[in-house]
Amino acid sequence: MKTAAIIGAGLIGQGWAIVFARAGWNVNLYDPNSQAAEKGLAMIGSLLGMLKQEGLLPDDTSAANRIRIAPTLPDALAGAEYIQESAPENLEAKRALFAEMDALAAPDALLCSSTSTIPASAFTGHLAGRARCMVAHPVNPTYLIPLVELSGAPWTAADHIERAKDILLDVGQRPIVVRKEIEGFVMNRLQGAVLHEAFRLFSEGIASGEDIDATIKHGLGLRWAFIGPFETIDLNSPQGIEEYCERYAGVYESIGASLGKCVDWNKALRQGLADERKRELPRDQLEAKRLWRDQKLMQMVRQLYHAG
Amino acid sequence: MKTAAIIGAGLIGQGWAIVFARAGWNVNLYDPNSQAAEKGLAMIGSLLGMLKQEGLLPDDTSAANRIRIAPTLPDALAGAEYIQESAPENLEAKRALFAEMDALAAPDALLCSSTSTIPASAFTGHLAGRARCMVAHPVNPTYLIPLVELSGAPWTAADHIERAKDILLDVGQRPIVVRKEIEGFVMNRLQGAVLHEAFRLFSEGIASGEDIDATIKHGLGLRWAFIGPFETIDLNSPQGIEEYCERYAGVYESIGASLGKCVDWNKALRQGLADERKRELPRDQLEAKRLWRDQKLMQMVRQLYHAG
């Protein structure tokens, strides 16, 4: 029986615990705040119940039984071969935590961080076991959106990254490897590219925020839910991607020249956008809309990953 | 009974004919090449059969019966209140065709073009009825992906654009309004933003093409299939989009600074990407993969637009 240690019992830690437990792993859940650990475990119970109700867990699952609260960090790490840190985004805290984990964990255990903004090199360089440390950046909620970005420091060993990849595939996630440290990894860079152009189109009055959203959800996004941008253009020209590039490189390069100038996300622009969003979705409906989003996401996941 | 004239019986014209006919409109289909018209009509018949089989047409539909081939352009335009031109992307040909259509169509008929690259101002300025001319850029296949970009010339009347929007909503599409002429309209600019960053990440060796695709399809794209980029960030912070921007503007602006430098889509880069695609998907499987994509897209459409 394999064991994962989940360090930090907030939203992200809860998501990781569900991912490993539903795949049959034992999970040691640790949080320095023992009340937070109890609260996290209760939340995990509700989420597992919801996933079962939605047909997203095997019927015979006893995932909840495989998760236990570990009273101390050494106890959490004992016997764990995969360790996922999901503490707050604080560089000094991560440096200290990784030093402790590196000293306590089994020599061949992998040490991964959920950070979305801090490169692994910033908090692992001082460690004897730095070759086994890396970022494993998940998307929220981790138990529904399978992407995980693996990003090592220059000293992270390639075979440890491969091992992390195999483990994450084994528990049902879809890991990718970010080969060089870069701000935003891959996902938030692609999201940033879309957001910057969306802000620009909005700020220049080309289209309303609602219409920019519609362009993605009623247009590009319908395919991007199951094929990526390269696959999309590979299939969009009879002979494939080379032919597509030959035909359209000129158009895209011309568009590219104007993409260059990213607009400043200034106060007035944000305010204009927020005002429009508030008209479309009054703030007292934000929470209901989030529940709607999660339901939709579950339908999507059921169809794309569970329908066989 | 309302009538639409579809001018051009290629892939795009076929898509438009299906959209209007399934919504209960009469469709006059015209192509200067009468064989192309016959071929187009036969293809429409097969596509309607497939849509019916896939549960994407009402059971009692007789959409095919509402489409007829018009032998001449005047015959096609007679009685039509909405006219959609889907001829090849040739500026001179469009100028001549719009002049003919403007002279022949009923005075209050709307004249729309499917062009994805030519602004309306380039081929309508010389017309008496230029105020009713605009681009209505669809996505392929138009009968599955509902987005239509409406983009008028500076002289296109706002109420004609509103009328086009109402008609397109009425036939089940999701029109957006591009308020100023701009290269790529909104959709291909957003697609271009993603492709440019994807090319850059690939060319700098940050990630493989396969992993970049995975980042979209197993990450961002799962939500973008039903909420747009602004909605996504509005729901991703407890208090909404203003709070999200406050928290993350710094990160995105820092990413934005490096997005600026769009890479050249040079031969070596395209070749590297094509080589990877060929390893992932041998070229003799392109056609089978397209059929798979269309099946997936139909599942998606059934779930997002037909499941109630």
Side-chain angles (χ1 to χ4, degrees):
Chain A
M1 194 83 153
K2 294 168 173 187
T3 299
I6 306 299
I7 309 306
L11 272 178
I12 307 296
Q14 292 162 28
W16 279 115
I18 290 170
V19 163
F20 279 92
R22 78 176 167 193
W25 285 53
N26 283 325
V27 172
N28 296 341
L29 180 66
Y30 172 73
D31 197 292
N33 175 340
S34 65
Q35 277 189 311
E38 292 291 348
K39 228 174 116 179
L41 189 64
M43 192 63 202
I44 288 167
S46 316
L47 289 169
L48 283 169
M50 177 201 67
L51 290 173
K52 194 160 183 172
Q53 203 175 356
E54 295 284 342
L56 291 169
L57 274 187
D59 274 345
D60 62 344
T61 188
S62 50
N65 300 336
R66 287 191 287 271
I67 305 173
R68 71 173 185 93
I69 293 179
T72 63
L73 186 60
D75 182 78
L77 302 185
E81 67 178 87
Y82 184 93
I83 295 156
Q84 181 79 33
E85 166 271 319
S86 305
E89 292 284 76
N90 177 304
L91 175 58
E92 281 317 308
K94 282 196 201 295
R95 283 177 66 89
L97 188 49
F98 266 75
E100 267 195 280
M101 296 196 306
D102 188 43
L104 292 165
D108 60 343
L110 296 172
L111 302 185
C112 300
S113 172
S114 297
T115 179
S116 61
T117 55
I118 311 178
S121 58
F123 56 92
T124 62
H126 57 311
L127 305 178
R130 65 185 195 170
R132 58 165 165 170
C133 297
M134 69 195 81
V135 169
H137 174 233
V139 190
N140 190 29
T142 307
Y143 49 87
L144 290 177
I145 302 187
L147 178 71
V148 180
E149 298 182 283
L150 293 173
S151 174
W155 46 78
T156 307
D159 58 337
H160 287 316
I161 293 179
E162 273 308 301
R163 196 149 56 91
K165 194 174 166 183
D166 289 344
I167 288 173
L168 291 169
L169 278 171
D170 186 56
V171 297
Q173 300 301 98
R174 304 287 176 127
I176 68 146
V177 178
V178 185
R179 294 180 189 143
K180 299 177 194 171
E181 290 194 319
I182 185 169
E183 188 169 18
F185 309 127
V186 172
M187 190 185 81
N188 281 331
R189 294 190 71 82
L190 293 172
Q191 177 161 238
V194 166
L195 285 176
H196 277 297
E197 183 57 12
F199 267 81
R200 210 176 72 79
L201 292 167
F202 179 80
S203 74
E204 294 184 2
I206 305 292
S208 68
E210 188 177 6
D211 278 357
I212 291 167
D213 275 338
T215 304
I216 294 287
K217 70 183 166 184
H218 298 307
L220 294 163
L222 291 175
R223 279 185 296 225
W224 282 345
F226 60 92
I227 51 175
F230 290 137
E231 288 176 294
T232 298
I233 65 175
D234 196 28
L235 299 177
N236 265 358
S237 199
Q239 305 300 317
I241 195 165
E242 279 164 300
E243 189 186 39
Y244 185 95
C245 289
E246 258 163 57
R247 284 186 187 179
Y248 298 109
V251 171
Y252 282 117
E253 279 171 358
S254 171
I255 289 174
S258 59
L259 291 176
K261 300 161 246 150
C262 283
V263 294
D264 178 26
W265 291 24
N266 63 44
K267 201 94 188 159
L269 173 54
R270 295 185 208 178
Q271 196 56 55
L273 194 53
D275 288 347
E276 194 192 314
R277 284 299 307 151
K278 285 172 192 169
R279 282 194 301 275
E280 277 174 51
L281 184 72
R283 299 295 88 173
D284 59 357
Q285 295 172 26
L286 265 172
E287 203 43 44
K289 189 77 180 183
R290 283 194 193 100
L291 290 173
W292 170 88
R293 174 200 60 191
D294 292 344
Q295 287 292 327
K296 280 277 192 195
L297 193 51
M298 284 188 276
Q299 287 174 13
M300 193 76 64
V301 165
R302 206 158 35 224
Q303 181 195 300
L304 291 171
Y305 298 100
H306 295 259
Chain B
M1 194 81 156
K2 291 165 172 190
T3 300
I6 306 300
I7 310 305
L11 273 179
I12 306 295
Q14 292 162 29
W16 279 114
I18 290 170
V19 163
F20 278 93
R22 77 177 166 192
W25 286 53
N26 283 325
V27 172
N28 297 338
L29 180 66
Y30 171 73
D31 198 292
N33 174 339
S34 66
Q35 276 189 312
E38 291 291 348
K39 228 174 118 180
L41 189 64
M43 192 62 202
I44 288 167
S46 318
L47 290 168
L48 283 168
M50 176 202 66
L51 290 173
K52 194 161 182 172
Q53 202 176 355
E54 294 284 341
L56 291 168
L57 273 188
D59 275 347
D60 62 344
T61 190
S62 50
N65 301 334
R66 286 192 287 273
I67 305 173
R68 70 174 185 93
I69 293 178
T72 64
L73 185 61
D75 181 77
L77 302 185
E81 67 178 87
Y82 183 93
I83 295 156
Q84 182 77 34
E85 166 271 319
S86 303
E89 292 285 75
N90 177 304
L91 176 57
E92 281 317 308
K94 283 199 199 294
R95 284 177 65 88
L97 187 49
F98 266 74
E100 267 194 281
M101 295 196 306
D102 188 44
L104 291 165
D108 59 345
L110 296 171
L111 304 185
C112 300
S113 171
S114 296
T115 179
S116 60
T117 54
I118 312 177
S121 57
F123 56 91
T124 62
H126 58 309
L127 306 178
R130 65 186 194 170
R132 58 165 165 169
C133 297
M134 70 196 80
V135 169
H137 174 232
V139 190
N140 189 31
T142 308
Y143 50 87
L144 291 178
I145 301 186
L147 178 71
V148 179
E149 298 182 283
L150 293 173
S151 176
W155 46 77
T156 306
D159 58 336
H160 287 316
I161 293 180
E162 273 308 300
R163 196 148 57 90
K165 196 174 166 184
D166 290 342
I167 288 172
L168 290 169
L169 278 171
D170 187 56
V171 297
Q173 300 302 97
R174 304 287 175 127
I176 67 146
V177 178
V178 185
R179 292 179 188 144
K180 299 175 193 170
E181 292 194 319
I182 186 169
E183 188 169 16
F185 309 127
V186 172
M187 189 185 84
N188 281 331
R189 295 190 71 82
L190 293 172
Q191 176 161 240
V194 166
L195 285 176
H196 277 296
E197 183 57 11
F199 268 81
R200 210 177 74 80
L201 292 166
F202 180 81
S203 74
E204 294 183 2
I206 305 292
S208 69
E210 188 177 6
D211 278 357
I212 292 168
D213 275 338
T215 304
I216 294 287
K217 69 183 167 184
H218 299 306
L220 294 163
L222 291 176
R223 280 185 297 225
W224 282 345
F226 60 92
I227 52 174
F230 290 136
E231 287 175 296
T232 298
I233 64 174
D234 196 27
L235 298 177
N236 266 356
S237 198
Q239 304 301 316
I241 194 164
E242 279 164 302
E243 190 186 38
Y244 185 95
C245 289
E246 258 162 57
R247 285 187 186 178
Y248 300 109
V251 172
Y252 282 117
E253 279 171 358
S254 173
I255 290 174
S258 59
L259 292 175
K261 299 161 246 151
C262 284
V263 295
D264 179 25
W265 291 25
N266 63 44
K267 200 94 188 163
L269 173 54
R270 294 186 210 177
Q271 195 58 52
L273 193 55
D275 288 347
E276 194 192 314
R277 285 298 309 150
K278 284 173 191 167
R279 282 193 302 275
E280 278 174 52
L281 185 72
R283 300 293 88 173
D284 58 358
Q285 295 171 25
L286 265 173
E287 201 45 43
K289 190 77 181 179
R290 281 193 195 101
L291 289 174
W292 170 88
R293 174 200 60 190
D294 291 344
Q295 288 292 329
K296 280 277 191 195
L297 193 51
M298 284 187 276
Q299 285 173 15
M300 193 74 65
V301 165
R302 204 156 38 221
Q303 182 195 299
L304 290 170
Y305 298 100
H306 294 258

